[in-house]
Amino acid sequence: MKKFMEEFKAFAMRGNVLDMAVGVVIGGAFGKITTSLVNDIIMPLVSILTGGVDFSAWKWVLKEAVMEGSEVVDPEIAVNFGNLISVILDFIIIAFAVFCMVKAINKMHDKLSKPEPEAEPEAEEDPEPTKEELLLAEIRDLLKEQSK
């Protein structure tokens, strides 16, 4: 049991696990922001376009609720497709935001990982030939002419 706990501690304290935990917490908070954006800003605008209908309340009632006075005897059974559309919009907004963030991080990573072009070393000029090299070149050329 002690070895198991040591292995678990080593696993839990790895950098990737801690990074993932931070990402999950921030993602949860980000999800709440986008849910509020969809419910409080986008859906009212969509409701205006659809004639003032409360979009999140859109539903297809399969069975009406049975009431006795003010008490519900048998609850309503309905397909809440307005809520589904809100959740789909939530997902699209979150996916778009994550896409933009990943794209920006990749672009920044590419800029940071590319080495700056180094100045090309100047081409070294061949040194002037010595007198011996000139004399040997002349002899070579003369021998070529004679062998023709």
Side-chain angles (χ1 to χ4, degrees), residues 2 13 66 99 111 126:
K2 187 175 181 179
M13 293 302 152
V66 177
F99 169 76
K111 282 184 180 180
D126 292 331

Side-chain angles (χ1 to χ4, degrees), residues 43-59 81:
M43 286 305 163
L45 295 174
V46 171
S47 290
I48 288 173
L49 296 174
T50 59
V53 178
D54 180 14
F55 195 75
S56 62
W58 283 8
K59 59 186 173 184
F81 63 90

Side-chain angles (χ1 to χ4, degrees), residues 14 17 34 48 51 54 59 85 88 90-91 116 120 123 126 129:
R14 285 160 97 190
V17 173
T34 56
I48 288 173
D54 180 14
K59 59 186 173 184
I85 294 171
I88 290 171
D90 254 359
F91 171 76
E116 290 189 27
E120 292 184 26
D126 292 331

Side-chain angles (χ1 to χ4, degrees), residues 5-130:
M5 291 305 290
E6 288 174 9
E7 288 177 12
F8 177 73
K9 183 179 176 184
F11 168 77
M13 293 302 152
R14 285 160 97 190
N16 293 344
V17 173
L18 294 176
D19 291 344
M20 186 177 69
V22 169
V24 167
V25 170
I26 290 175
F30 186 71
K32 289 179 182 179
I33 291 170
T34 56
T35 300
S36 175
L37 176 70
V38 168
N39 292 339
D40 301 333
I41 295 174
I42 293 175
M43 286 305 163
L45 295 174
V46 171
S47 290
I48 288 173
L49 296 174
T50 59
V53 178
D54 180 14
F55 195 75
S56 62
W58 283 8
K59 59 186 173 184
W60 176 32
V61 179
L62 301 173
K63 180 182 169 201
E64 293 286 336
V66 177
M67 306 281 291
E68 279 187 18
S70 63
E71 184 179 324
V72 177
V73 176
D74 198 11
E76 172 185 79
I77 299 174
V79 176
N80 297 316
F81 63 90
N83 188 39
L84 174 66
I85 294 171
S86 294
V87 171
I88 290 171
L89 284 174
D90 254 359
F91 171 76
I92 290 170
I93 291 170
I94 291 172
F96 180 73
V98 169
F99 169 76
C100 291
M101 186 171 30
V102 168
K103 187 171 174 88
I105 289 171
N106 287 340
K107 191 173 185 179
M108 185 173 41
H109 178 42
D110 288 345
K111 282 184 180 180
L112 293 175
S113 65
K114 284 184 183 176
E116 290 189 27
E118 296 178 11
E120 292 184 26
E122 294 182 27
E124 295 179 16
E125 295 182 22
D126 292 331
E128 290 291 322
T130 63

Side-chain angles (χ1 to χ4, degrees), residues 125-140:
E125 295 182 22
D126 292 331
E128 290 291 322
T130 63
K131 289 182 181 181
E132 289 127 6
E133 290 173 334
L134 290 173
L135 183 60
L136 288 171
E138 284 179 33
I139 294 170
R140 180 195 64 209

